[in-house]
């Protein structure tokens, strides 16, 4: 590995365990909204269906194919419709309840704090996130993560999402860094890894579920703690 001065992290699915926090939230909302009574047979089926739709929509959002509002409008509507609910049976304000509750959850990937503490002593850390600004602030505060990072680069503020080269250029400029002394760490091959590589930045693929690694991805880790051995 090269000698770096600046490390740029993704937040959701890399430090903050999005799927686990979403699952906790949806388990609660399944009961609160009595979804079994309107025909959603189990929380598990509801969560699986939502997760699939949400991942698809986020992939489209990363690429600028849909807006934030479109993502938020579609993810639960498409989930409920697939599960057989008539449009007039879809619970009102479900998306609002989810957006309010989910960012307050505090599940992180293993060794997140100890890894960030270690890296903070050696590097300047920053976040680049396609997540929504209001939600990301809640996550950072609730998990005591904000103190590790000098800059929080949010795509909503920049006006473009990862993998657009402009958000990486903006992040490097904001950090007072150079591409050559920077490295990106994230879970998304397209948004984080190939996005960084496209501007000449090194990247480390966070792959906790041991998915197949594409040939063009040079470095991967399965646990955040591995960063303490290589950086």
């Amino acid at each position: 590995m090269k000698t770096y001065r600046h490390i740029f992290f993704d937040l959701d699915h890399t430090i903050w365990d999005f799927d686990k926090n979403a699952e906790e939230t949806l388990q609660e909302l399944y009961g609160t909204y009595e979804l079994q009574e309107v025909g959603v047979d189990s929380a598990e089926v509801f969560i699986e269906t939502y997760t699939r739709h949400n991942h698809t929509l986020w992939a489209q959002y990363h690429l600028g194919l849909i807006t934030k509002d479109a993502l938020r409008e579609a993810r639960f509507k498409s989930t409920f419709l697939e599960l057989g609910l008539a449009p007039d049976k879809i619970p009102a304000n479900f998306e609002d309840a989810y957006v309010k509750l989910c960012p307050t959850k505090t599940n992180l990937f293993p060794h997140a704090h100890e890894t960030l503490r270690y890296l903070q002593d050696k590097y300047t850390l920053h976040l680049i996130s396609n997540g929504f600004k209001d939600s990301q602030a809640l996550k950072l505060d609730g998990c005591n993560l904000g103190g590790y990072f000098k800059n929080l680069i949010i795509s909503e503020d920049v006006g473009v999402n990862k993998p657009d080269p402009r958000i990486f250029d903006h992040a490097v400029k904001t950090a007072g860094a150079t591409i050559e002394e920077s490295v990106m760490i994230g879970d998304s091959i397209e948004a984080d890894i190939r996005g960084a590589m496209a501007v000449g930045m090194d990247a480390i693929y966070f792959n906790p579920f041991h998915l197949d690694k594409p040939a063009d991805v040079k470095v991967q880790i399965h646990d955040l703690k591995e960063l303490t051995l290589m950086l």
Side-chain angles (χ1 to χ4, degrees):
M1 300 294 291
K2 292 194 317 189
T3 300
Y4 303 109
R5 294 183 58 208
H6 295 267
I7 299 177
F8 295 87
F9 274 96
D10 175 50
L11 180 59
D12 293 335
H13 301 284
T14 300
I15 298 171
W16 194 78
D17 192 336
F18 187 102
D19 287 340
K20 184 177 288 187
N21 290 313
E23 180 177 351
E24 277 192 10
T25 302
L26 294 173
Q27 286 278 4
E28 291 184 34
L29 294 179
Y30 182 85
T32 300
Y33 281 80
E34 299 180 331
L35 295 184
Q36 190 169 22
E37 301 301 317
V38 296
V40 181
D41 291 338
S42 72
E44 290 70 27
V45 170
F46 178 60
I47 291 166
E48 185 279 326
T49 307
Y50 162 78
T51 299
R52 178 163 33 84
H53 283 283
N54 192 48
H55 285 185
T56 298
L57 290 163
W58 270 102
Q60 295 173 3
Y61 179 74
H62 289 325
L63 297 175
L65 300 176
I66 59 173
T67 64
K68 167 186 174 179
D69 289 341
L71 185 155
R72 284 187 163 175
E73 180 181 353
R75 56 184 174 183
F76 285 111
K77 181 178 180 180
S78 57
T79 296
F80 284 120
L81 290 175
E82 180 179 330
L83 292 173
L85 271 69
D88 62 342
K89 296 294 184 181
I90 295 176
N93 301 319
F94 195 94
E95 168 70 23
D96 292 340
Y98 174 85
V99 168
K100 183 177 180 180
L101 180 58
C102 191
T104 68
K105 299 296 183 180
T106 57
N107 293 294
L108 304 177
F109 280 97
H111 310 118
H113 277 291
E114 64 187 88
T115 299
L116 291 170
R117 280 195 296 268
Y118 168 86
L119 294 174
Q120 186 184 37
D121 288 340
K122 299 180 65 177
Y123 307 92
T124 304
L125 309 184
H126 316 270
L127 283 171
I128 311 178
S129 175
N130 283 356
F132 304 135
K133 185 175 181 178
D134 49 353
S135 297
Q136 302 309 69
L138 288 172
K139 295 169 188 176
L140 292 173
D141 289 344
C143 297
N144 297 314
L145 291 171
Y148 296 117
F149 301 102
K150 182 178 179 182
N151 292 294
L152 173 58
I153 309 299
I154 298 289
S155 60
E156 279 188 290
D157 291 332
V158 182
V160 291
N161 299 331
K162 296 176 293 182
D164 192 301
R166 288 172 290 178
I167 194 170
F168 291 96
D169 290 338
H170 174 83
V172 169
K173 182 178 180 180
T174 299
T178 65
I179 292 289
E180 293 73 22
E181 64 187 7
S182 302
V183 60
M184 178 75 204
I185 300 168
D187 72 290
S188 171
I189 294 292
E190 293 301 328
D192 299 315
I193 307 308
R194 290 181 177 146
M197 291 164 56
V199 299
M201 186 186 296
D202 286 350
I204 300 172
Y205 173 37
F206 178 58
N207 184 15
F209 305 113
H210 296 259
L211 305 176
D212 290 339
K213 181 180 74 65
D216 62 322
V217 175
K218 298 177 182 178
V219 183
Q220 70 173 338
I221 58 170
H222 303 300
D223 188 304
L224 291 174
K225 195 173 183 179
E226 293 176 56
L227 294 172
T228 68
L229 304 176
M230 68 171 58
L231 293 174

PDB file of all heavy atoms in Angstrom, residues 127-153:
ATOM      1  N   LEU A 127     -15.689  11.749   5.339  1.00  0.00           N
ATOM      2  CA  LEU A 127     -16.788  10.941   4.825  1.00  0.00           C
ATOM      3  C   LEU A 127     -17.267  11.506   3.493  1.00  0.00           C
ATOM      4  O   LEU A 127     -17.360  12.726   3.327  1.00  0.00           O
ATOM      5  CB  LEU A 127     -17.972  10.937   5.799  1.00  0.00           C
ATOM      6  CG  LEU A 127     -17.878  10.055   7.041  1.00  0.00           C
ATOM      7  CD1 LEU A 127     -19.040  10.358   7.969  1.00  0.00           C
ATOM      8  CD2 LEU A 127     -17.887   8.573   6.661  1.00  0.00           C
ATOM      9  N   ILE A 128     -17.563  10.603   2.554  1.00  0.00           N
ATOM     10  CA  ILE A 128     -18.277  10.982   1.332  1.00  0.00           C
ATOM     11  C   ILE A 128     -19.506  10.092   1.267  1.00  0.00           C
ATOM     12  O   ILE A 128     -19.388   8.871   1.176  1.00  0.00           O
ATOM     13  CB  ILE A 128     -17.434  10.770   0.060  1.00  0.00           C
ATOM     14  CG1 ILE A 128     -16.041  11.370   0.195  1.00  0.00           C
ATOM     15  CG2 ILE A 128     -18.159  11.378  -1.144  1.00  0.00           C
ATOM     16  CD1 ILE A 128     -15.157  11.125  -1.030  1.00  0.00           C
ATOM     17  N   SER A 129     -20.682  10.687   1.316  1.00  0.00           N
ATOM     18  CA  SER A 129     -21.908   9.896   1.417  1.00  0.00           C
ATOM     19  C   SER A 129     -22.961  10.353   0.420  1.00  0.00           C
ATOM     20  O   SER A 129     -23.170  11.547   0.232  1.00  0.00           O
ATOM     21  CB  SER A 129     -22.482  10.000   2.836  1.00  0.00           C
ATOM     22  OG  SER A 129     -23.717   9.331   2.927  1.00  0.00           O
ATOM     23  N   ASN A 130     -23.610   9.374  -0.204  1.00  0.00           N
ATOM     24  CA  ASN A 130     -24.792   9.643  -1.011  1.00  0.00           C
ATOM     25  C   ASN A 130     -26.061   9.633  -0.163  1.00  0.00           C
ATOM     26  O   ASN A 130     -27.158   9.844  -0.688  1.00  0.00           O
ATOM     27  CB  ASN A 130     -24.947   8.599  -2.123  1.00  0.00           C
ATOM     28  CG  ASN A 130     -23.997   8.826  -3.281  1.00  0.00           C
ATOM     29  OD1 ASN A 130     -23.256   9.796  -3.309  1.00  0.00           O
ATOM     30  ND2 ASN A 130     -24.009   7.912  -4.245  1.00  0.00           N
ATOM     31  N   GLY A 131     -25.918   9.348   1.120  1.00  0.00           N
ATOM     32  CA  GLY A 131     -27.073   9.352   2.015  1.00  0.00           C
ATOM     33  C   GLY A 131     -27.623  10.751   2.187  1.00  0.00           C
ATOM     34  O   GLY A 131     -26.970  11.751   1.878  1.00  0.00           O
ATOM     35  N   PHE A 132     -28.839  10.818   2.718  1.00  0.00           N
ATOM     36  CA  PHE A 132     -29.510  12.104   2.835  1.00  0.00           C
ATOM     37  C   PHE A 132     -29.007  12.866   4.053  1.00  0.00           C
ATOM     38  O   PHE A 132     -28.794  12.305   5.128  1.00  0.00           O
ATOM     39  CB  PHE A 132     -31.014  11.894   2.893  1.00  0.00           C
ATOM     40  CG  PHE A 132     -31.533  11.128   1.698  1.00  0.00           C
ATOM     41  CD1 PHE A 132     -32.444  10.099   1.854  1.00  0.00           C
ATOM     42  CD2 PHE A 132     -31.089  11.435   0.423  1.00  0.00           C
ATOM     43  CE1 PHE A 132     -32.912   9.392   0.757  1.00  0.00           C
ATOM     44  CE2 PHE A 132     -31.553  10.738  -0.690  1.00  0.00           C
ATOM     45  CZ  PHE A 132     -32.465   9.714  -0.516  1.00  0.00           C
ATOM     46  N   LYS A 133     -28.828  14.161   3.886  1.00  0.00           N
ATOM     47  CA  LYS A 133     -28.118  14.987   4.862  1.00  0.00           C
ATOM     48  C   LYS A 133     -28.721  14.901   6.256  1.00  0.00           C
ATOM     49  O   LYS A 133     -27.995  14.725   7.242  1.00  0.00           O
ATOM     50  CB  LYS A 133     -28.107  16.440   4.379  1.00  0.00           C
ATOM     51  CG  LYS A 133     -27.298  17.374   5.257  1.00  0.00           C
ATOM     52  CD  LYS A 133     -27.234  18.768   4.653  1.00  0.00           C
ATOM     53  CE  LYS A 133     -26.391  19.704   5.514  1.00  0.00           C
ATOM     54  NZ  LYS A 133     -26.294  21.055   4.907  1.00  0.00           N
ATOM     55  N   ASP A 134     -30.052  15.012   6.356  1.00  0.00           N
ATOM     56  CA  ASP A 134     -30.680  15.013   7.674  1.00  0.00           C
ATOM     57  C   ASP A 134     -30.468  13.665   8.374  1.00  0.00           C
ATOM     58  O   ASP A 134     -30.189  13.610   9.576  1.00  0.00           O
ATOM     59  CB  ASP A 134     -32.165  15.345   7.571  1.00  0.00           C
ATOM     60  CG  ASP A 134     -32.894  14.518   6.516  1.00  0.00           C
ATOM     61  OD1 ASP A 134     -32.235  13.770   5.767  1.00  0.00           O
ATOM     62  OD2 ASP A 134     -34.139  14.631   6.431  1.00  0.00           O
ATOM     63  N   SER A 135     -30.566  12.578   7.627  1.00  0.00           N
ATOM     64  CA  SER A 135     -30.386  11.249   8.216  1.00  0.00           C
ATOM     65  C   SER A 135     -28.943  11.006   8.634  1.00  0.00           C
ATOM     66  O   SER A 135     -28.682  10.438   9.703  1.00  0.00           O
ATOM     67  CB  SER A 135     -30.813  10.168   7.217  1.00  0.00           C
ATOM     68  OG  SER A 135     -32.182  10.276   6.901  1.00  0.00           O
ATOM     69  N   GLN A 136     -27.989  11.443   7.817  1.00  0.00           N
ATOM     70  CA  GLN A 136     -26.584  11.165   8.127  1.00  0.00           C
ATOM     71  C   GLN A 136     -26.149  11.877   9.399  1.00  0.00           C
ATOM     72  O   GLN A 136     -25.378  11.326  10.187  1.00  0.00           O
ATOM     73  CB  GLN A 136     -25.686  11.566   6.952  1.00  0.00           C
ATOM     74  CG  GLN A 136     -26.014  10.879   5.627  1.00  0.00           C
ATOM     75  CD  GLN A 136     -26.126   9.375   5.710  1.00  0.00           C
ATOM     76  OE1 GLN A 136     -27.062   8.843   6.310  1.00  0.00           O
ATOM     77  NE2 GLN A 136     -25.192   8.679   5.108  1.00  0.00           N
ATOM     78  N   ALA A 137     -26.639  13.073   9.620  1.00  0.00           N
ATOM     79  CA  ALA A 137     -26.297  13.799  10.841  1.00  0.00           C
ATOM     80  C   ALA A 137     -26.796  13.058  12.078  1.00  0.00           C
ATOM     81  O   ALA A 137     -26.087  12.963  13.091  1.00  0.00           O
ATOM     82  CB  ALA A 137     -26.880  15.207  10.792  1.00  0.00           C
ATOM     83  N   LEU A 138     -28.005  12.509  12.002  1.00  0.00           N
ATOM     84  CA  LEU A 138     -28.550  11.740  13.124  1.00  0.00           C
ATOM     85  C   LEU A 138     -27.721  10.493  13.395  1.00  0.00           C
ATOM     86  O   LEU A 138     -27.468  10.129  14.553  1.00  0.00           O
ATOM     87  CB  LEU A 138     -30.003  11.351  12.837  1.00  0.00           C
ATOM     88  CG  LEU A 138     -31.044  12.469  12.883  1.00  0.00           C
ATOM     89  CD1 LEU A 138     -32.389  11.950  12.375  1.00  0.00           C
ATOM     90  CD2 LEU A 138     -31.183  13.017  14.298  1.00  0.00           C
ATOM     91  N   LYS A 139     -27.303   9.810  12.349  1.00  0.00           N
ATOM     92  CA  LYS A 139     -26.508   8.596  12.505  1.00  0.00           C
ATOM     93  C   LYS A 139     -25.169   8.908  13.175  1.00  0.00           C
ATOM     94  O   LYS A 139     -24.741   8.206  14.097  1.00  0.00           O
ATOM     95  CB  LYS A 139     -26.272   7.938  11.147  1.00  0.00           C
ATOM     96  CG  LYS A 139     -27.532   7.431  10.476  1.00  0.00           C
ATOM     97  CD  LYS A 139     -27.257   7.045   9.027  1.00  0.00           C
ATOM     98  CE  LYS A 139     -28.530   6.724   8.276  1.00  0.00           C
ATOM     99  NZ  LYS A 139     -28.275   6.435   6.843  1.00  0.00           N
ATOM    100  N   LEU A 140     -24.515   9.936  12.714  1.00  0.00           N
ATOM    101  CA  LEU A 140     -23.207  10.297  13.267  1.00  0.00           C
ATOM    102  C   LEU A 140     -23.313  10.680  14.737  1.00  0.00           C
ATOM    103  O   LEU A 140     -22.493  10.264  15.563  1.00  0.00           O
ATOM    104  CB  LEU A 140     -22.592  11.438  12.466  1.00  0.00           C
ATOM    105  CG  LEU A 140     -22.183  11.105  11.027  1.00  0.00           C
ATOM    106  CD1 LEU A 140     -21.755  12.365  10.300  1.00  0.00           C
ATOM    107  CD2 LEU A 140     -21.064  10.071  11.006  1.00  0.00           C
ATOM    108  N   ASP A 141     -24.325  11.463  15.069  1.00  0.00           N
ATOM    109  CA  ASP A 141     -24.506  11.877  16.461  1.00  0.00           C
ATOM    110  C   ASP A 141     -24.876  10.692  17.344  1.00  0.00           C
ATOM    111  O   ASP A 141     -24.312  10.516  18.429  1.00  0.00           O
ATOM    112  CB  ASP A 141     -25.596  12.954  16.551  1.00  0.00           C
ATOM    113  CG  ASP A 141     -25.160  14.289  15.973  1.00  0.00           C
ATOM    114  OD1 ASP A 141     -23.938  14.477  15.778  1.00  0.00           O
ATOM    115  OD2 ASP A 141     -26.032  15.135  15.703  1.00  0.00           O
ATOM    116  N   GLY A 142     -25.816   9.886  16.879  1.00  0.00           N
ATOM    117  CA  GLY A 142     -26.289   8.778  17.697  1.00  0.00           C
ATOM    118  C   GLY A 142     -25.255   7.713  17.953  1.00  0.00           C
ATOM    119  O   GLY A 142     -25.296   7.023  18.980  1.00  0.00           O
ATOM    120  N   CYS A 143     -24.320   7.567  17.040  1.00  0.00           N
ATOM    121  CA  CYS A 143     -23.285   6.533  17.169  1.00  0.00           C
ATOM    122  C   CYS A 143     -21.944   7.094  17.621  1.00  0.00           C
ATOM    123  O   CYS A 143     -20.942   6.371  17.645  1.00  0.00           O
ATOM    124  CB  CYS A 143     -23.109   5.810  15.837  1.00  0.00           C
ATOM    125  SG  CYS A 143     -24.562   4.915  15.283  1.00  0.00           S
ATOM    126  N   ASN A 144     -21.906   8.379  17.960  1.00  0.00           N
ATOM    127  CA  ASN A 144     -20.661   9.026  18.389  1.00  0.00           C
ATOM    128  C   ASN A 144     -19.549   8.875  17.357  1.00  0.00           C
ATOM    129  O   ASN A 144     -18.395   8.589  17.692  1.00  0.00           O
ATOM    130  CB  ASN A 144     -20.212   8.478  19.747  1.00  0.00           C
ATOM    131  CG  ASN A 144     -21.202   8.779  20.847  1.00  0.00           C
ATOM    132  OD1 ASN A 144     -21.693   9.896  20.971  1.00  0.00           O
ATOM    133  ND2 ASN A 144     -21.514   7.769  21.658  1.00  0.00           N
ATOM    134  N   LEU A 145     -19.897   9.083  16.096  1.00  0.00           N
ATOM    135  CA  LEU A 145     -18.932   8.934  15.011  1.00  0.00           C
ATOM    136  C   LEU A 145     -18.383  10.272  14.509  1.00  0.00           C
ATOM    137  O   LEU A 145     -17.321  10.308  13.894  1.00  0.00           O
ATOM    138  CB  LEU A 145     -19.579   8.211  13.826  1.00  0.00           C
ATOM    139  CG  LEU A 145     -19.931   6.735  14.017  1.00  0.00           C
ATOM    140  CD1 LEU A 145     -20.760   6.242  12.835  1.00  0.00           C
ATOM    141  CD2 LEU A 145     -18.674   5.893  14.185  1.00  0.00           C
ATOM    142  N   GLY A 146     -19.103  11.349  14.750  1.00  0.00           N
ATOM    143  CA  GLY A 146     -18.754  12.619  14.142  1.00  0.00           C
ATOM    144  C   GLY A 146     -17.353  13.096  14.454  1.00  0.00           C
ATOM    145  O   GLY A 146     -16.698  13.722  13.612  1.00  0.00           O
ATOM    146  N   GLY A 147     -16.864  12.789  15.649  1.00  0.00           N
ATOM    147  CA  GLY A 147     -15.558  13.292  16.055  1.00  0.00           C
ATOM    148  C   GLY A 147     -14.384  12.711  15.301  1.00  0.00           C
ATOM    149  O   GLY A 147     -13.271  13.257  15.368  1.00  0.00           O
ATOM    150  N   TYR A 148     -14.608  11.638  14.571  1.00  0.00           N
ATOM    151  CA  TYR A 148     -13.502  11.025  13.828  1.00  0.00           C
ATOM    152  C   TYR A 148     -13.201  11.750  12.520  1.00  0.00           C
ATOM    153  O   TYR A 148     -12.100  11.629  11.988  1.00  0.00           O
ATOM    154  CB  TYR A 148     -13.840   9.570  13.476  1.00  0.00           C
ATOM    155  CG  TYR A 148     -13.997   8.651  14.661  1.00  0.00           C
ATOM    156  CD1 TYR A 148     -15.216   8.039  14.921  1.00  0.00           C
ATOM    157  CD2 TYR A 148     -12.928   8.388  15.506  1.00  0.00           C
ATOM    158  CE1 TYR A 148     -15.375   7.179  16.001  1.00  0.00           C
ATOM    159  CE2 TYR A 148     -13.071   7.525  16.592  1.00  0.00           C
ATOM    160  CZ  TYR A 148     -14.296   6.921  16.833  1.00  0.00           C
ATOM    161  OH  TYR A 148     -14.448   6.077  17.898  1.00  0.00           O
ATOM    162  N   PHE A 149     -14.184  12.498  12.000  1.00  0.00           N
ATOM    163  CA  PHE A 149     -14.095  12.972  10.623  1.00  0.00           C
ATOM    164  C   PHE A 149     -13.973  14.487  10.558  1.00  0.00           C
ATOM    165  O   PHE A 149     -14.738  15.211  11.182  1.00  0.00           O
ATOM    166  CB  PHE A 149     -15.330  12.514   9.841  1.00  0.00           C
ATOM    167  CG  PHE A 149     -15.490  11.021   9.831  1.00  0.00           C
ATOM    168  CD1 PHE A 149     -16.413  10.402  10.663  1.00  0.00           C
ATOM    169  CD2 PHE A 149     -14.684  10.239   9.020  1.00  0.00           C
ATOM    170  CE1 PHE A 149     -16.556   9.024  10.661  1.00  0.00           C
ATOM    171  CE2 PHE A 149     -14.813   8.852   9.016  1.00  0.00           C
ATOM    172  CZ  PHE A 149     -15.754   8.241   9.837  1.00  0.00           C
ATOM    173  N   LYS A 150     -13.008  14.930   9.759  1.00  0.00           N
ATOM    174  CA  LYS A 150     -12.802  16.364   9.587  1.00  0.00           C
ATOM    175  C   LYS A 150     -13.871  16.965   8.686  1.00  0.00           C
ATOM    176  O   LYS A 150     -14.362  18.072   8.945  1.00  0.00           O
ATOM    177  CB  LYS A 150     -11.422  16.630   8.988  1.00  0.00           C
ATOM    178  CG  LYS A 150     -11.116  18.113   8.813  1.00  0.00           C
ATOM    179  CD  LYS A 150      -9.725  18.338   8.266  1.00  0.00           C
ATOM    180  CE  LYS A 150      -9.445  19.834   8.086  1.00  0.00           C
ATOM    181  NZ  LYS A 150      -8.094  20.068   7.509  1.00  0.00           N
ATOM    182  N   ASN A 151     -14.235  16.251   7.631  1.00  0.00           N
ATOM    183  CA  ASN A 151     -15.213  16.769   6.668  1.00  0.00           C
ATOM    184  C   ASN A 151     -16.264  15.708   6.363  1.00  0.00           C
ATOM    185  O   ASN A 151     -15.947  14.516   6.249  1.00  0.00           O
ATOM    186  CB  ASN A 151     -14.526  17.166   5.351  1.00  0.00           C
ATOM    187  CG  ASN A 151     -13.617  18.368   5.523  1.00  0.00           C
ATOM    188  OD1 ASN A 151     -14.078  19.473   5.799  1.00  0.00           O
ATOM    189  ND2 ASN A 151     -12.314  18.152   5.369  1.00  0.00           N
ATOM    190  N   LEU A 152     -17.507  16.164   6.230  1.00  0.00           N
ATOM    191  CA  LEU A 152     -18.605  15.316   5.813  1.00  0.00           C
ATOM    192  C   LEU A 152     -19.112  15.854   4.480  1.00  0.00           C
ATOM    193  O   LEU A 152     -19.709  16.925   4.411  1.00  0.00           O
ATOM    194  CB  LEU A 152     -19.732  15.328   6.853  1.00  0.00           C
ATOM    195  CG  LEU A 152     -21.033  14.620   6.479  1.00  0.00           C
ATOM    196  CD1 LEU A 152     -20.776  13.152   6.151  1.00  0.00           C
ATOM    197  CD2 LEU A 152     -22.050  14.745   7.613  1.00  0.00           C
ATOM    198  N   ILE A 153     -18.835  15.110   3.417  1.00  0.00           N
ATOM    199  CA  ILE A 153     -19.224  15.504   2.074  1.00  0.00           C
ATOM    200  C   ILE A 153     -20.504  14.756   1.726  1.00  0.00           C
ATOM    201  O   ILE A 153     -20.505  13.522   1.606  1.00  0.00           O
ATOM    202  CB  ILE A 153     -18.124  15.161   1.045  1.00  0.00           C
ATOM    203  CG1 ILE A 153     -16.755  15.695   1.512  1.00  0.00           C
ATOM    204  CG2 ILE A 153     -18.505  15.682  -0.329  1.00  0.00           C
ATOM    205  CD1 ILE A 153     -16.678  17.176   1.678  1.00  0.00           C
TER     206      ILE A 153
END
